[in-house]
Amino acid sequence: MTTTTGAGHRQVRVALLGCGVVGAEVARLLNGNAADLAARTGARLELVGIAVRRPGRDRSAAGVDPALFTTDTAGLVSGALRGPVDVVVEVIGGIEPARTLILAAMAGGASVVTANKALLAEDGATLSAAAEKHQVDLYYEAAVAGAIPLLRPLRESLAGDRVRRVLGIVNGTTNYILTRMDETGAGFADALDEATALGYAEADPSADVDGFDAAAKTAILAGLAFHTRVTAADVHREGIGEVTAADVASAHEMGHVVKLLAVAELAEDGRSVGARVHPAMIPLTHPLAGVREAYNAVFVECESAGQLMFYGRGAGGAPTASAVLGDLVAVARHRVSGGRGPAESTYADLPVHPMGQTTTRYHIRLDVDDRPGVLAAVATVFAGHGVSIQTVRQEERAGQASLVVVTHAARDEALAGTVAGLRQLAVVDEVVSVMRVEGM
Ligand code: HSE
């Protein structure tokens, strides 16, 4: 449904919830590109109100009529304040009040465009059920990897294919930190300090550094890729706080680089899915290895399409607003033509297998005594857990040896058991570095 103005022009009435870095840019683009957006959608996108928490702030950058701002978010969404709304754009983030507002918007017949990864990853089921019930659109391209068109390709372009694996760098802050560690040899703490000083890391960097942000995005990607409900709680999560300069150096020595990877994959037998976020070494020849600084990229492996790579800016006002506007245009077009876009698909309903059952490879660096029988003792621990060794390299330093072992693929629980066994071995002085290896 659209409103028709006196001049006979169709209107799609838009309410914007939030006017932070992304919201202000959405407002600015809606205003500045109004004629193009109208030509592309077949209706004028009319911004009817912008809900903000602190009305006194200087928002002149958004370039909109100050009269649009309101603190009456519920009134704006319900239509009580500024009249009926066709689309609600939610860029306030967090679980509440965002969920209540989105559900109210849908109950009132409005479609929703949101960038709220945390909410989608925690309670996407409730949002999708409401969209279905009220026959409205729920679009969220900006929730994962900012500007990068990724969710629509997964949901639409690849709907005829079978996705086997999604491997991504979906958090710019951690990618920046790891890039600096790689380039300068800095430790984690120093690289984090630099990222904070440059504005890449938040004052409380936990959501990024501990992998929560990436885990929410992984849940969304896994759900779309495998037509299955996956929540953030299903995603195995390890952050980058434990990554040491020694890990990064060790990766370098074997022609690898350390990245925080988001992995969503179908089990070999196709009967379950895995979803995980953890630091991993990837070969320098892998396309993801060249993704540096705060950039994001997602590598998708499909049965028929083969390998695809999506690359770009994963955060920031303008890049994220681009994704929001793209969704807004899609939703507005549906309002003009009638009907909805493709809704969520969870028909496969596959179980999510635990991390222990995931197949991975490990890189392990050990300081050991340099005497006969040591290598045999180390190899016995691997064999005892059924883990096959791919390569062993030895470096010597004054009576001590450093062994670098890379395994073949094995169950993660067997690999973890191997590391625990190595730590108990008398000939092992220290397990210096343990990291999964992907992309080989
Ligand atoms: N904090 C995120 C990042 C951006 O560093 O990539 C928003 O998802």
Side-chain angles (χ1 to χ4, degrees):
M1 196 193 65
T2 51
T3 314
T4 305
T5 64
H9 293 116
R10 284 172 154 172
Q11 248 190 2
V12 170
R13 295 168 57 79
V14 180
L16 177 59
L17 313 187
C19 198
V21 177
V22 177
E25 191 60 19
V26 169
R28 197 185 68 76
L29 291 173
L30 270 174
N31 207 26
N33 298 348
D36 286 325
L37 293 169
R40 292 172 196 176
T41 57
R44 198 153 58 86
L45 301 183
E46 185 72 23
L47 187 55
V48 298
I50 306 174
V52 292
R53 256 189 318 182
R54 288 181 287 272
R57 271 202 183 168
D58 176 18
R59 296 191 170 86
S60 49
V64 294
D65 180 354
L68 287 175
F69 293 109
T70 175
T71 53
D72 182 5
T73 314
L76 177 63
V77 166
S78 72
L81 190 70
R82 303 270 163 83
V85 168
D86 297 303
V87 188
V88 169
V89 176
E90 183 271 310
V91 285
I92 48 181
I95 306 300
E96 287 294 352
R99 172 170 45 202
T100 301
L101 292 164
I102 287 174
L103 294 175
M106 290 177 173
S111 288
V112 169
V113 173
T114 175
N116 195 330
K117 59 199 161 262
L119 177 56
L120 288 157
E122 181 174 308
D123 201 11
T126 302
L127 304 189
S128 291
E132 193 64 33
K133 179 174 172 196
H134 301 294
Q135 289 294 293
V136 295
D137 280 324
L138 170 63
Y139 272 54
Y140 47 89
E141 184 65 64
V144 182
I148 307 174
L150 173 64
L151 305 192
R152 200 158 317 158
L154 278 174
R155 184 158 56 180
E156 299 181 29
S157 319
L158 296 170
D161 206 330
R162 189 171 161 94
V163 177
R164 302 252 19 143
R165 199 158 194 252
V166 179
L167 199 63
I169 295 168
V170 293
N171 184 270
T173 305
T174 47
N175 202 48
Y176 182 83
I177 292 169
L178 291 172
T179 301
R180 296 304 291 155
M181 289 175 73
D182 184 59
E183 285 172 353
T184 66
F188 167 75
D190 288 342
L192 172 60
D193 283 349
E194 186 190 326
T196 310
L198 290 171
Y200 283 113
E202 305 280 340
D204 174 6
S206 165
D208 295 315
V209 163
D210 296 336
F212 290 100
D213 175 80
K217 293 166 176 168
T218 307
I220 295 169
L221 289 172
L224 286 170
F226 306 122
H227 305 273
T228 283
R229 170 80 50 215
V230 180
T231 68
D234 296 322
V235 180
H236 172 86
R237 179 185 54 76
E238 294 170 34
I240 63 164
E242 309 281 303
V243 176
T244 63
D247 293 327
V248 173
S250 214
H252 243 302
E253 280 165 24
M254 57 178 236
H256 282 56
V257 64
V258 177
K259 295 290 183 190
L260 181 69
L261 288 188
V263 186
E265 60 198 346
L266 204 53
E268 203 61 42
D269 63 7
R271 289 162 71 169
S272 63
V273 303
R276 52 193 165 104
V277 169
H278 54 72
M281 295 182 182
I282 53 171
L284 287 170
T285 49
H286 193 283
L288 287 176
V291 179
R292 303 184 75 76
E293 308 280 328
Y295 277 87
N296 283 195
V298 178
F299 189 74
V300 183
E301 299 170 17
C302 305
E303 229 160 65
S304 301
Q307 299 177 332
L308 304 164
M309 171 101 152
F310 300 83
Y311 172 86
R313 291 192 186 277
T320 310
S322 165
V324 169
L325 263 291
D327 279 356
L328 193 47
V329 167
V331 169
R333 283 174 175 158
H334 301 153
R335 290 272 152 171
V336 170
S337 62
R340 311 160 63 205
E344 178 189 72
S345 154
T346 52
Y347 75 91
D349 199 20
L350 296 168
V352 180
H353 55 247
M355 185 63 193
Q357 288 173 26
T358 298
T359 302
T360 61
R361 310 158 69 110
Y362 272 30
H363 159 283
I364 303 162
R365 177 185 279 270
L366 313 163
D367 281 347
V368 295
D369 298 346
D370 197 4
R371 56 185 168 80
V374 170
L375 195 54
V378 167
T380 302
V381 175
F382 282 84
H385 288 86
V387 174
S388 170
I389 293 173
Q390 187 194 28
T391 58
V392 185
R393 202 180 71 230
Q394 178 167 335
E395 290 160 16
E396 284 167 37
R397 277 195 307 259
Q400 250 217 342
S402 196
L403 289 181
V404 179
V405 181
V406 179
T407 73
H408 281 297
R411 278 201 168 201
D412 197 78
E413 59 200 4
L415 289 158
T418 304
V419 172
L422 291 170
R423 288 204 159 106
Q424 284 169 4
L425 218 54
V427 295
V428 172
D429 296 328
E430 192 186 349
V431 178
V432 181
S433 164
V434 177
M435 198 169 288
R436 297 185 183 88
V437 184
E438 296 289 339
M440 285 176 80

